[in-house]
Amino acid sequence: MMAQIQQEKDRLNLAPKKFNMWIFLFTSFMFFMALTSGFIVYVGGSKTHELTIKLPQIFMYSTGAIILSSLTMFLASREAKHLQFAKQRLFLWLTIFLGIAFFVLQVFAWKALIDMHQHLVNPNASISFVYVISGAHLLHILAGLLLIINTLVKSYKNTPQVLNLYNMEMSSIFWHFIDIIWIYLYVFLLLNQR
Amino acid sequence: MSTLAVHDHHDGVEHHDHDHGHHHKETFISKYIFSMDHKMIAKQFLITGIIMAVIAMILSILFRIQLAYPDKAFPFLETILGRFAPGGRLDANFYLSLVTIHGTIMVFFVLTAGLSGTFSNLLIPFQLGARDMASPFMNMLSYWMFFTASVIMLASFFVQKGPAGGGWTIYPPLSALPKAMPGSAEGMTLWLISMVLFVASQLMGGINYVSTVLNMRTKGMDLWKMPLTIWAFFLTAILGILAFPVLVAGVVLLVFDRSFGTSFYLSEIVVQGQVMNYEGGSPILFQHLFWFLGHPEVYIVIMPAMGIASEVMSVNSRKPIFGYHAMVYSLIGITVLSFIVWGHHMFVTGMNPFLGGVFMITTLIIAVPSAVKTFNWLATLWRGNIRFTPGMLFAIGLVSFFISGGITGIFLGNAALDINLHDTYFVVAHFHLVMGSAAIFGMLAGVYHWFPKMFGRMMDEKLGYLHFWLTFIGAYLVFFPMHFMGLDGVPRRYYAFTEIESLKQWLSVNTFITWAAIMSALAQVAFLFNFFYSIFFGKKATQNPWNSTTLEWTTPVERIHGNWPGEIPTVYRWPYDYSKPGAEEDFIPQTTPYSQTMTSNLPHDFEDNPTGLTQYNEWLKTQKVQEEVK
Ligand code: HEM
Ligand SMILES: [Cu+2]
């Protein structure tokens, strides 16, 4: 019996794929570490390189949105485990909504920066860094949203529970990760404000 | 629960059979082109790598001709290069492009993708006892991204201003200002696109390698029973996963400078009499980001070659590898240390001397694990029952090059010396021996050794010897004289030295080097012929032609889908039981349990196996009793 289940597992072969996701998070982590280290090196180069602006308030709201979205994502996973598929979908919808809200708020934050006359093209590249760092993060948000949409769409089709849980897990690992990364990036930028 | 599982299982079996039916009806496209089989992907990487290597080698001969005969015109150059060699003389900017693309292709496309891509894909599933990689689909994607990256890199020869020309390290400002020189224009854009694809390909490959090593080993294959090849590929993949994203970050900022006008790397600068719109950027920032990848990258290149050499040398010395654990720990040491030495490429950037000192110390420390490996190889050869197969010769060649190139690394690692030697031919000599030649020799050792596993046929030995000796001697003739040029201050990447009084005397040496390079290049024809001829007409290989202990040689010669026809074999022992005293043959495969080799077992074999040890002791007692009876 055990051997048969084992074979079944081999066929689906999900564990290594989940593992792949974790390793991918490492690459992504290194990417953001490189950007922030680059920031440190740049700012350390000269007094005029410091981040002399106050970051727009909107970043506060977007951070709130993404933290909330992590919560709804967590709830969606929990409902999926308890076989409450209707609720799972509801929370996934909410997560997608909050994710889009985050996206839009970030764009508004850029607009606020522009209104402050702090453009991407800037003699003080530490401000360009704010754009590049949040922009690179937004690309990750886009990927995360696609993953969640994939999970949601498949949950409407007749997907076996094993796969549903697997999709759920893959998308929530990634989503929580980019949530944490954003908090890191935001706190990092806040601490470097002068 | 039980009924549910049974039901599931039934479904599973039916599905499985169904799947299988599909696999057997493989079309040409699914078998040879969009293949997801690790063996086929390995061959795709190898052949693409070989083609890229030949191209990069031809590029190097072209610029060597320029260095040897700076005043001569060669009409055939104009015939083949057209506007890049007007009047038969190489264009100065095109010379820089040649150097750049030669370096890029050799370092990234041949020695990173060609080497890791071939042998990690081939050997990780084979030597660990897995049917395929963790994600065959990602694996396929990885190859095709690499292929696309190669095509784009080569396509840059066909744009108006020629390929990128800023050197393989693409330092800004040259790389960031499209107008700075011809090699900064579209060619550089293509370079950047190609490299982004390349990095994506390497990351997908690397993620797969790590995941496969950690999740898909067969029964009994614990980490300490893995061959050194696998350890090397595994740690190489980790290096890549941690280092390549940093290059991407650096390149992203570069693209912003190039295309959107930001000033990350650019400060006040005048191009062709025109003041550019940049302020306050720091080109040194790029060097930090680049070398944070760049230095691990050189170990990404050499570590798989080291793993291959360890395996090939052990098999062909008919001896266990000397210091297996020390070999693994030095690989781990190299992996960790290689992240904290990047500053040794930047001693002359006006770096704080204290920081320079720190980088100097870490750099000299990394020589320790490198030396441990070297001594272990020599100790493996010591009193071995050596079989000089072509693979073995190339592995020994690696050791030779690694020693001669590594020693000059210690010179360069000292900031006080490096300030004189930086950007001279001394550096060129250093890295072509320690990285270029050593890694290529490791790769060739692997090709000769595992050719029977890849194609079911043997390569010709005589041609192999010819190839080895010409290449080995040729490489030393090419690179050794460069040390002296460097000590005299001859700078690298110069188009010609004819205008510089003090450097004119080196012309004769340059001519000599060029002829040596042409000889070594011609020697590769022996390899290419041997390789492609043997694929179709080589002698048929037996299942285990080298009498090796590792798992890949337990698979059928026909190389079937899923690797083993029946169950995957179980592993009982480490991979280096060669010439074990008391054994019937001079090798014991990893799949032979200790119960079948009573006469050769040692107490040491049962370190973590108390039941085995009791049985072994009992067996010893019965032996004694029998002897007394006699
Ligand atoms: C024994 C330990 C080693 C030491 C102490 C060492 C030290 C150095 C130093 C200080 C430089 C900078 C020289 C300069 O630009 O002025 C250098 C350059 C280089 N090293 Fe090593 N190295 C060692 C081993 C290796 C290995 C094993 C590889 C590759 C497999 C390697 C590949 C390179 C490359 C590619 C460059 C030149 C990069 C460039 O400027 O284009 N080195 N090495
Ligand atoms: Cu280095």
Side-chain angles (χ1 to χ4, degrees), chain B residues 415-430:
Chain B
L417 290 174
D418 186 62
I419 288 168
N420 300 284
L421 295 172
H422 178 69
D423 260 352
T424 66
Y425 269 87
F426 194 86
V427 178
V428 179
H430 159 66

Side-chain angles (χ1 to χ4, degrees), chain B residues 196-330:
Chain B
V196 168
L197 283 174
F198 179 86
V199 170
S201 144
Q202 288 310 295
L203 287 176
M204 278 194 278
I207 289 174
N208 240 326
Y209 307 149
V210 171
S211 176
T212 310
V213 171
L214 289 180
N215 291 298
M216 314 218 351
R217 302 188 305 275
T218 183
K219 232 172 51 222
M221 179 65 85
D222 57 56
L223 291 181
W224 290 110
K225 290 199 180 69
M226 298 198 309
L228 285 173
T229 35
I230 304 296
W231 270 108
F233 301 149
F234 174 57
L235 291 163
T236 304
I238 291 180
L239 266 181
I241 285 170
L242 296 178
F244 274 117
V246 179
L247 178 67
V248 174
V251 164
V252 165
L253 299 182
L254 184 62
V255 168
F256 270 92
D257 276 6
R258 249 181 99 75
S259 312
F260 301 102
T262 52
S263 305
F264 291 108
Y265 303 134
L266 295 168
S267 51
E268 299 70 7
I269 196 163
V270 179
V271 176
Q272 292 165 359
Q274 206 182 342
V275 183
M276 303 300 279
N277 226 347
Y278 299 100
E279 276 177 72
S282 156
I284 309 287
L285 172 59
F286 180 83
Q287 296 198 19
H288 279 295
L289 291 172
F290 182 88
W291 286 114
F292 188 87
L293 156 93
H295 188 84
E297 167 63 25
V298 304
Y299 281 96
I300 290 174
V301 163
I302 198 69
M303 288 208 319
M306 289 172 156
I308 289 171
S310 304
E311 178 71 18
V312 171
M313 285 172 59
S314 175
V315 173
N316 290 302
S317 305
R318 312 310 291 162
K319 264 182 73 184
I321 189 81
F322 188 90
Y324 174 78
H325 284 77
M327 287 299 234
V328 174
Y329 286 123
S330 29

Side-chain angles (χ1 to χ4, degrees), chain B residues 556-569:
Chain B
V557 196
E558 291 76 33
R559 306 177 302 287
I560 54 174
H561 200 84
N563 295 345
W564 285 268
E567 227 177 291
I568 300 179

Side-chain angles (χ1 to χ4, degrees), chain A residues 16 19-20 23 27 30 49 121 123, chain B residues 211 214 241-242 245 260-261 279-280:
Chain A
F19 199 85
N20 283 354
I23 309 174
T27 66
M30 285 307 290
H49 287 177
V121 177
Chain B
S211 176
L214 289 180
I241 285 170
L242 296 178
F260 301 102
E279 276 177 72

Side-chain angles (χ1 to χ4, degrees), chain A residues 33-47:
Chain A
M33 289 311 281
L35 284 180
T36 47
S37 322
F39 183 94
I40 294 173
V41 173
Y42 178 82
V43 169
S46 147
K47 258 271 178 262

